[in-house]
Amino acid sequence: MKKLILSLFSLFAVFAGVPHCLGSPAPEEVRASQPGRERRHGGYSKDNWTVYYEGRKVKGASASSFTDLGGGYGKDNWTVFYRGRKVEGASASSFESLGNGIGKDIWHTYHYGERDDGSALSGERLGGGYSKDSWTVYYRGRKVDGASAMTFESLGDGYGKDAWKVFYMGGEVKGASAQTFEELGEGYGKDAWKVYYRGKELPGASPGSFEVPRDSW
């Protein structure tokens, strides 16, 4: 009987130590798993104390006033964030998300959380992922090198052009004639001499007769 009691006591001691061996969850982990945690639509979520982006704590964000703006941007009453990181210098009171990684306050525009030299007041969204201000053209927030903002237009399906050059997804389409270029859909485009697919020349294709069939229903 004495041996049985000692054996039971030993087993109790082993199992009593299991939680300590496995480790207790940190307060933040417990808080993140609470039923009261509120999920937001753009990767952000929050509970009564903490804001999270894709499961990671957003340092310095105030949960009580935090708003998800969409496109990776969010803000509280004092600070703007992009994908969980603070956007330095951005004004929370006037900041808004424009989509495609672009945001603005009353003084500046921001691309993927970084401030650029363009003016938000003169910014213009052109469609097809393109935007421009008075000096610069952007494709999905990245500067389009060599493009003239004054004459640039979006053609759709990733194509755009200014008075001299044609671009596809922000890169120059080498050799394409801006004066005669047209976007055909499905990644195709052509000028008076060549046919292009996704910004690359399609060897042997005749621009005079080339077309992209459309659905008949």
Side-chain angles (χ1 to χ4, degrees):
M1 178 64 70
K2 185 176 181 179
K3 290 183 178 180
L4 178 60
I5 293 174
L6 289 174
S7 298
L8 291 174
F9 180 78
S10 299
L11 288 172
F12 176 78
V14 170
F15 284 108
V18 168
H20 299 285
C21 295
L22 295 177
S24 299
E28 289 179 9
E29 294 173 345
V30 173
R31 189 180 299 163
S33 63
Q34 288 179 342
R37 183 174 175 184
E38 178 185 356
R39 293 187 178 277
R40 313 294 292 176
H41 60 79
Y44 288 100
S45 60
K46 69 178 184 177
D47 56 25
N48 289 336
W49 304 274
T50 307
V51 178
Y52 303 87
Y53 182 76
E54 294 184 346
R56 300 186 301 273
K57 182 178 178 180
V58 180
K59 185 177 180 180
S62 169
S64 61
S65 62
F66 191 87
T67 302
D68 186 346
L69 302 176
Y73 286 101
K75 69 177 182 178
D76 59 23
N77 286 343
W78 303 275
T79 308
V80 178
F81 301 87
Y82 178 70
R83 302 191 69 179
R85 300 188 305 273
K86 181 180 178 180
V87 179
E88 297 292 342
S91 168
S93 61
S94 62
F95 194 91
E96 59 181 302
S97 173
L98 303 178
N100 294 321
I102 303 173
K104 71 173 184 177
D105 58 22
I106 60 174
W107 294 285
H108 302 286
T109 53
Y110 298 82
H111 294 89
Y112 300 101
E114 299 293 333
R115 195 179 87 183
D116 63 49
D117 296 328
S119 168
L121 299 178
S122 62
E124 180 182 358
R125 299 179 69 184
L126 305 176
Y130 287 100
S131 61
K132 69 178 182 178
D133 55 31
S134 298
W135 304 275
T136 307
V137 178
Y138 304 91
Y139 180 74
R140 294 185 175 177
R142 298 187 301 273
K143 181 180 178 181
V144 179
D145 291 327
S148 167
M150 182 178 296
T151 60
F152 191 89
E153 60 179 306
S154 174
L155 303 176
D157 203 25
Y159 285 102
K161 70 176 184 178
D162 60 19
W164 302 275
K165 299 176 182 178
V166 178
F167 300 85
Y168 179 72
M169 296 183 70
E172 183 180 350
V173 180
K174 299 294 184 181
S177 167
Q179 287 74 25
T180 62
F181 190 89
E182 57 180 307
E183 183 269 323
L184 303 175
E186 304 297 333
Y188 291 98
K190 69 178 182 179
D191 60 19
W193 299 275
K194 298 176 183 178
V195 178
Y196 302 86
Y197 178 65
R198 294 184 176 178
K200 303 293 183 181
E201 182 183 349
L202 194 62
S206 171
S209 59
F210 191 90
E211 62 180 26
V212 177
R214 305 293 183 180
D215 292 336
S216 58
W217 61 81

